[in-house]
Structures are given as structure tokens and as C-alpha cells.
Amino acid sequence: MSKQLNIVRSPAVPLNMENVDTDQIIPARFLKATSREGFGKNLFRDWRYENDDDTKPRKGFPLNNPVYKGKILVAAKNFGCGSSREHAAWAIKDYGFDVVISSFFADIFKNNALNNFLLPVTVSEGFLQKLFAAIEKDPATELEVNLQEQTIKLPDGSWQAFEINNYKKTCLLNGYDDIDYLLSIKDDINSYETKRAFQF
Amino acid sequence: MGKTLFEKIWEKHVVKTIDGGPSILYIDKHFIHEVTSPQAFNGLNKRGIKVLRPHQVVATADHNVPTLNQHLPIKEELSRLQVEALKNNCAEHGIELYGLGHPYQGIVHVIGPELGITQPGMTIVCGDSHTSTHGAFGNIAFGIGTSEVEMVLATQCLMQTKPKLMRINIEGKLNKGVVSKDIVLYILSRITASGATGYAVEFAGSAIRSLTMEARMTICNMSIEMGARCGMIAPDETTFIYIKGRKFAPTGEEWDKRLAYWKTLYSDNDAAFDKEITIRAEDIEPMITYGTNPGMGVGVTGHVPSLSEIDEKEKPSFEKSLAYMGLQPGANIKGRKVDYVFIGSCTNSRIEDLRMVASFVKGKHKASNVEVWVVPGSKQVEKQAIEEGIDKVFSEAGFILRQPGCSACLGMNEDKIPAGKYCISTSNRNFEGRQGPNARTFLASPLTAALAAITGEVGDIREYYKETELVTN
Ligand code: SF4
């Protein structure tokens, strides 16, 4: 897993469906593992294959269409809703995506993605439609996502800025994770504990 | 300016705030289960550290467990390994585990409240999105991912950005036959499955105040279905009476001290919300979903929207959803045959839910075309149901009372609805494949599900109201 992100330049895979929930991203029956690896092969399992049979890919599903490839997934509104399973972010990252673009992400998914160095990029609905149109016209269209500048660009020069909080940006640029940080402020946590009103 | 309930609790738990970044939030209680915790423990082991405050962590096995013959070893190997991993991890780190066979075992969001672990004013997390359930007691409770589970195990803290605040008021008196599940399905049908994303939601108003604790839990449980970070209800006498005397409830002087604090937990009159919605309780009917997200719901006498009622942009997902459900635009839902009835899940598997179902079912028998599974939320609920004779009502009706677990809510164990079959379910998600590959789910209240069990089709419980003494909540 690449633990550092800055500029991702790549064609993108379009998934133009709203309200994609984490049960679709990785169905519950694949959550029985006790490690984080290997979820990519079951990413979108029931949309990808007929009757749960991986020798029968469903025609028409974008991941099965060889014209679409790349490290960027472009998804429609309310992506990642439903269950908190981090396995959804693991599966997307393990499959080979570094960036997911949508006009709207569910909260828990967004956090899970950030914690796994998968960059969620929120763009306007208008810009999202533009991305879908550009990819449909030419699947080889290269998008450029620049974390340092917080921009996403199309080859025709059009671009949009995206938001990310400074702390998370630093983490992604440098490959730091939250646990390292929290462990480093142990003294603050200890002193908070001594001041707690109730030992719940 | 006054403060909201959320702000009062949040401010007490901020250890520190990073400039231009998230806050470090202290977590009072951390629930864990077998599915989302193993990778977190692996992470700790890799770092060579131990759980910081094991006594603030409570574990149970629920998602993956069989609901028949729980005394036998789990047949499915991967499930068994996961449950064993939880056992080993808890033993190694000194965490209390209510595993299979323990009298307190059950769905994590059912056992926390029933044991009195869940209390007002706390911060509570769990690697499970329905942690929002606990907010019914007036605390901040939300679901987290596995990396965050690891963070909390390691440091008892989380990085969190303060969400925006929304209040949803339900004012007035509920119609007969309308219960808390209908309230939350109604809200969802109004604001959609993403209507509260980015918000902490406080449910308020006279209709909410009149609800029991278990009914309030049903509503907060499904706040995640609106996308909310958490759901909450200010604690009141109903809350305090519910907690008092439970296993882990405070006693004596400590009770008095906490109670005094709990009584300060409400949104001040002049507190500001980023968004506020008011709904009239009288407008709410018994509800049912027809689609593949919980926002796709209508009154049981309503119909699936016709294409002309759907926004152009949303047509592809709408049509995909109906194709999955085998329904036509504009179709009536009332009268539709069902094949399975599932009464269970952290939304509706508590004793009041079972009493509600039993009050309607008593003396009746299920329709021959349906299979009915009742899965209690915990060992304690199961025990209570047996003590009250509810198990007999069910067996006489041809229902199967299974053992506690998540069961067909997510179909991780053997309890799956077969492909193409229709299931009316008291759970919280009707996503594609949620109850089994290609299974079709109608979400509804325990009463509406009980009615379908008897008649074999979707019906309107209000038509039966006069002839039976129904228990509601
Ligand atoms: S009952 Fe269903 S929703 Fe509740 S915790 Fe279990 S799987 Fe999740």
C-alpha cells in the first residue's frame, strides 16, 4: 500500500451510480478475514460477477470493461453510505485505486479512506458531470489530482479546487498516520484523564 | 448564547484541538465485536503496544454467530476463526468479553443499554455504524472504522472534526398503529438517505418525549441511514428510570452525582442549530420501503413513485433499484406477497418489539407461504421472552424463535434470504444483497412485519386495530 500521496495522474474508471453503499463495495460475506489484505479481488463482487462466479464477469460493469483503467475511481453522489466497514476502503485501495472522486461522500467512509491513504476528492455536481462526460467521450482521458495544490484538472485545462483539512493533508503527503500522532500526545491524554468528572 | 446537547457533551471531551484540523476527543466507552476488531489488534501487536484502558472496552460476538445450536462449535471455519480471534485478543488485553454462551451475549447495541453501560453524557464508539443507537440516552455515540478502533484501543482517543448540528422535531400525537420505526422511516422518506450527512442529529418534540427508551433507540439506530454522524435524544425521567438498577448503573452517592449532571443535558432554549426540521406526528402512517436504500419508503397504503415523480438525474438508480426489487413504477405495495419475515436486528429485537409482535400474533397462525424468523437481540431478551411466555405464542403461530445475533440483518452467518425472495424485515438496511445475494427486502415496523407473517402479504395494521389489543412503543 502506497503510504504517501501527492500527484496522481491517471485515466479514471467511471461508476455513475448514486448512493453506492459499502455492502455493494464489499459484501458482508467477505468480511470474515482477520487481515487487511486481499479484499480487492472481491471489490463490487455482486455487480462484477454473475451468480457470485468470478469466471462470469457481468458485461457492462465498468470494472469489467477493458477500456477503463487507472488509479482514479469517479463515483456519483453519496458514495460509501451504510455500514462502517473499513474493508470497503481496503478493497478499493487493494484493487489499485489511490483516489475516489464524488460530489458527496458518506462521513465514515471518508474517514476510513483517509486513514488508508485513499484520497476522497469532493467536487461540485457540475464538475462531476463534466468528468463523466469527458471519460465517456475518451476513456483514456488523464485526470490530474494534485494534493499539495488541492486541485483536480482535466486535459482541456479546466480544473476545480477541493478541500481537505490541513492536518490530514500533512499526513497523506508524508505517510503519517493518526495513531503515531495520538501516541505522541500521551501526556495530554493522561492529564485529561485526571481531570475527568466521571470515571464512566 | 446557549448550548446544544451535543456541544455540552463534546466540549467536555475535547483533549486538545489541532490548529486548522480535527479535535482529539476522549472516548468513555468502546464496544468491540468480532468483525471489525481483529485487524485493529493486529495493528497494536505490530506496534508492540497494549490496550490503554481495557476496562473501558466491552466486547461481544454478534455479527458472525449462528442463531441455532449456539452450544456447538461454529461450523463455518472463517466465522469460527474470527470469533476465536476475538476471544484470544480479549484475553490477551484484559477486555471483558460477553461471548457465545455468556448470559449477557447479544447484539452490541442491544446489550450496552440493557446492561446499563450506556449512559447520558458519555462518548461512545464502536466499529459499527449503528453505534448511533446509544445516543437515545443523550450521549455522543458513533460508528468508526477499524483504523479508528485501533486508535481508541491504543490511546482511548479519536481524531474528530466537529459535525454540523441538526434538530428534527416530531410534534403531536402518533396515529394508532404507528410506532417508532414508522417515525424514522418517515423521516428518511422525507430527507433521503443522505439528508443528514455531516450532521449530528438531535431528535426532539412532544412525540419523541412520549416514547419509551426502546422506541427511542430504534430512531437513533437509524440516524446513520440518513447519513448522520450520530443521533441523540436529551435524557429525561424516562431515561433515568430505565437506567436505574441495571447491572452497571451507578448506585448510591455516585448515582446522585451523575443524575445531577444528566439533568443538565439538554439543548438550551437559545441554542443554535445549523438546520431544523419539524414534522407533524399525525402525518406519519405505518411505513414500508420499496427500494434499495432506506430513504425509499412510503406509507403502506401508498405506491411506488411513478417515473414522472422522479428527478431526471435520479432515474437510472431508481430504475436499477426497482428492477432489483422486481417492482414496477407506480405499483401498489399493499397486497404484495412476502416469502420471509425477519424480526430482529439492533433496530427492533428488544423485548418491547417481541411483545408488540406477540400482542398481534397471539392465537393466530402464520400464513403457509411464509417462513418467520424471530431473532432476539440478546440472551437477556431471549430469557425474558421465555419467562413471559412469548416463546409459546410464537411456536403456536409457527414462528421460529432463534438465538441472539445479527442474523439475517446482514446475512454473514447461515441466516440468508434466498435469491429473488421477498423478506419483510424489521432491520435497518434494504441494500442490494444485504440479506443474502439477490434477496429483496421491505423494511417495516415489528407490527407491520407481524401482520405480513399472518396474512402472507403486506398489509395495513390500522385495519386490525380495533379487533386486537396491540402493544406499541
Ligand atoms: S443487527 Fe444488523 S445493523 Fe445491527 S449491528 Fe448487527 S449487522 Fe449491524
Side-chain angles (χ1 to χ4, degrees):
Chain A
M1 176 173 96
S2 67
K3 271 193 99 178
Q4 236 169 316
L5 285 178
N6 187 3
I7 297 172
V8 179
R9 220 177 272 115
S10 161
V13 180
L15 185 66
N16 198 351
M17 261 182 277
E18 296 191 348
N19 298 313
V20 172
D21 58 78
T22 53
D23 274 79
Q24 307 319 316
I25 300 174
I26 183 90
R29 59 187 190 281
F30 300 110
L31 309 187
K32 296 177 194 256
T34 50
S35 79
R36 288 171 181 250
E37 287 80 39
F39 288 97
K41 65 176 188 295
N42 295 318
L43 175 66
F44 295 115
R45 177 81 188 193
D46 293 333
W47 284 349
R48 239 162 108 188
Y49 304 113
E50 304 278 355
N51 302 322
D52 203 10
D53 180 348
D54 57 14
T55 62
K56 289 196 197 128
R58 280 183 205 267
K59 285 205 196 74
F61 188 65
L63 260 58
N64 295 332
N65 187 339
V67 307
Y68 299 126
K69 40 183 154 304
K71 293 187 206 159
I72 301 174
L73 179 66
V74 184
K77 197 174 124 193
N78 200 23
F79 186 79
C81 57
S83 150
S84 62
R85 61 189 69 164
E86 192 163 316
H87 314 67
W90 298 338
I92 295 173
K93 184 81 184 181
D94 188 56
Y95 184 87
F97 292 114
D98 286 328
V99 178
V100 192
I101 299 171
S102 172
S103 56
F104 201 87
F105 288 98
D107 273 345
I108 305 181
F109 176 81
K110 201 201 266 173
N111 275 344
N112 287 342
L114 287 167
N115 284 332
N116 288 282
F117 301 89
L118 172 67
L119 178 64
V121 172
T122 308
V123 296
S124 70
E125 194 58 45
F127 195 77
L128 184 70
Q129 293 315 322
K130 202 166 165 182
L131 293 178
F132 280 128
I135 299 165
E136 195 183 334
K137 203 161 144 230
D138 177 10
T141 304
E142 275 213 345
L143 308 184
E144 182 186 302
V145 175
N146 186 321
L147 176 58
Q148 183 65 52
E149 290 178 1
Q150 297 180 222
T151 55
I152 163 160
K153 286 185 204 124
L154 274 160
D156 68 4
S158 59
W159 63 280
Q160 196 168 62
F162 63 86
E163 284 184 26
I164 179 168
N165 82 46
N166 260 332
Y167 166 79
K168 267 294 166 197
K169 180 173 169 179
T170 314
C171 287
L172 293 186
L173 287 171
N174 298 296
Y176 300 154
D177 72 21
D178 286 358
I179 301 183
D180 297 330
Y181 176 82
L182 288 173
L183 288 170
S184 77
I185 59 156
K186 238 180 176 156
D187 291 346
D188 292 299
I189 299 173
N190 286 339
S191 83
Y192 172 88
E193 282 185 326
T194 60
K195 288 185 295 206
R196 264 205 317 160
F198 298 102
Q199 308 297 313
F200 283 128
Chain B
M1 199 175 64
K3 285 182 183 162
T4 62
L5 168 61
F6 182 90
E7 287 163 332
K8 287 179 182 177
I9 303 171
W10 175 273
E11 286 167 10
K12 269 208 154 46
H13 287 85
V14 172
V15 173
K16 135 181 210 174
T17 298
I18 301 176
D19 260 353
S23 296
I24 317 302
L25 199 66
Y26 189 82
I27 303 303
D28 293 315
K29 283 288 170 207
H30 183 192
F31 293 102
I32 59 172
H33 63 75
E34 76 278 21
V35 177
T36 56
S37 67
Q39 292 87 350
F41 283 106
N42 291 347
L44 291 188
N45 294 343
K46 256 193 223 148
R47 290 171 202 262
I49 51 180
K50 286 275 180 205
V51 172
L52 181 70
R53 299 283 175 253
H55 297 306
Q56 287 168 243
V57 189
V58 177
T60 188
D62 53 3
H63 281 65
N64 231 332
V65 301
T67 55
L68 291 175
N69 294 319
Q70 285 186 345
H71 61 289
L72 298 177
I74 301 177
K75 274 192 239 139
E76 232 246 353
E77 197 196 345
L78 290 174
S79 303
R80 195 182 66 241
L81 290 176
Q82 227 176 29
V83 172
E84 274 168 16
L86 180 70
K87 216 167 151 181
N88 296 337
N89 287 326
C90 287
E92 191 187 328
H93 291 268
I95 293 167
E96 182 82 40
L97 167 65
Y98 303 134
L100 275 187
H102 194 286
Y104 296 160
Q105 180 264 336
I107 305 173
V108 57
H109 313 306
V110 174
I111 69 168
E114 86 184 353
L115 289 169
I117 298 170
T118 302
Q119 294 171 20
M122 289 178 159
T123 46
I124 298 175
V125 296
C126 173
D128 192 286
S129 57
H130 290 96
T131 309
S132 59
T133 314
H134 305 262
F137 290 79
N139 52 48
I140 297 179
F142 53 92
I144 55 179
T146 296
S147 297
E148 293 170 312
V149 171
E150 187 180 335
M151 268 172 236
V152 181
L153 290 175
T155 67
Q156 208 55 39
C157 285
L158 259 188
M159 302 269 205
Q160 283 293 306
T161 312
K162 191 171 157 206
K164 289 180 286 181
L165 304 177
M166 183 189 303
R167 180 157 62 186
I168 301 181
N169 305 295
I170 315 286
E171 299 288 358
K173 216 169 156 300
L174 290 172
N175 293 314
K176 289 199 163 38
V178 172
V179 294
S180 59
K181 180 65 161 286
D182 300 309
I183 299 179
V184 73
L185 288 175
Y186 182 82
I187 299 173
L188 271 155
S189 74
R190 289 266 310 262
I191 73 169
T192 80
S194 58
T197 301
Y199 290 91
V201 176
E202 179 178 343
F203 298 96
S206 54
I208 298 289
R209 294 258 77 87
S210 71
L211 297 174
T212 65
M213 280 321 293
E214 299 197 357
R216 293 179 190 185
M217 284 187 242
T218 302
I219 293 180
C220 287
N221 174 274
M222 288 190 74
S223 38
I224 182 66
E225 263 58 67
M226 308 162 199
R229 195 76 187 102
C230 64
M232 62 202 315
I233 294 173
D236 57 12
E237 275 310 309
T238 307
T239 321
F240 310 143
I241 292 168
Y242 179 95
I243 298 171
K244 193 156 196 174
R246 288 185 185 264
K247 173 85 184 162
F248 294 103
T251 53
E253 232 177 87
E254 183 64 17
W255 168 267
D256 297 338
K257 272 208 314 227
R258 285 196 202 179
L259 185 63
Y261 169 55
W262 294 346
K263 287 185 172 168
T264 67
L265 297 175
Y266 52 83
S267 291
D268 296 328
N269 280 335
D270 55 345
F273 289 85
D274 299 290
K275 193 168 177 180
E276 187 143 13
I277 297 170
T278 297
I279 285 169
R280 294 180 349 148
E282 304 89 79
D283 293 344
I284 307 174
E285 288 184 89
M287 296 288 295
I288 191 152
T289 62
Y290 58 85
T292 54
N293 77 58
M296 300 171 86
V298 287
V300 283
T301 54
H303 59 82
V304 178
S306 54
L307 280 178
S308 60
E309 295 168 74
I310 299 293
D311 209 70
E312 200 51 46
K313 228 172 72 289
E314 274 151 27
K315 271 186 188 157
S317 5
F318 176 75
E319 286 177 327
K320 181 170 182 295
S321 178
L322 290 197
Y324 181 87
M325 289 298 291
L327 294 173
Q328 297 299 322
N332 283 331
I333 305 179
K334 198 177 159 212
R336 293 213 73 93
K337 290 259 174 296
V338 300
D339 307 292
Y340 284 78
V341 177
F342 173 63
I343 293 164
S345 91
C346 56
T347 315
N348 284 121
S349 65
R350 299 179 179 83
I351 191 66
E352 285 180 10
D353 299 308
L354 302 197
R355 283 185 195 137
M356 213 187 310
V357 172
S359 75
F360 177 73
V361 164
K362 196 168 180 152
K364 300 190 181 74
H365 198 274
K366 75 171 185 70
S368 56
N369 60 308
V370 292
E371 182 150 346
V372 186
W373 297 342
V374 184
V375 183
S378 70
K379 282 311 262 186
Q380 296 205 81
V381 172
E382 181 188 33
K383 186 164 161 257
Q384 179 83 21
I386 293 168
E387 277 167 19
E388 294 181 18
I390 290 175
D391 60 327
K392 297 220 176 56
V393 174
F394 289 161
S395 63
E396 280 159 20
F399 292 12
I400 304 170
L401 180 65
R402 302 172 80 103
Q403 291 169 305
C406 293
S407 182
C409 173
L410 91 165
M412 256 192 102
N413 66 355
E414 301 84 348
D415 308 347
K416 293 182 180 62
I417 307 302
K421 297 290 182 195
Y422 288 94
C423 176
I424 189 162
S425 176
T426 66
S427 58
N428 43 50
R429 287 184 176 147
N430 49 0
F431 297 151
E432 284 185 29
R434 172 81 177 181
Q435 297 196 287
N438 287 313
R440 292 157 162 169
T441 305
F442 294 127
L443 299 175
S445 80
L447 278 181
T448 301
L451 174 60
I454 302 302
T455 62
E457 58 182 49
V458 178
D460 184 350
I461 192 71
R462 290 170 297 186
E463 292 170 14
Y464 296 80
Y465 211 83
K466 282 168 235 101
E467 61 168 82
T468 13
E469 265 310 314
L470 290 186
V471 173
T472 55
N473 76 355

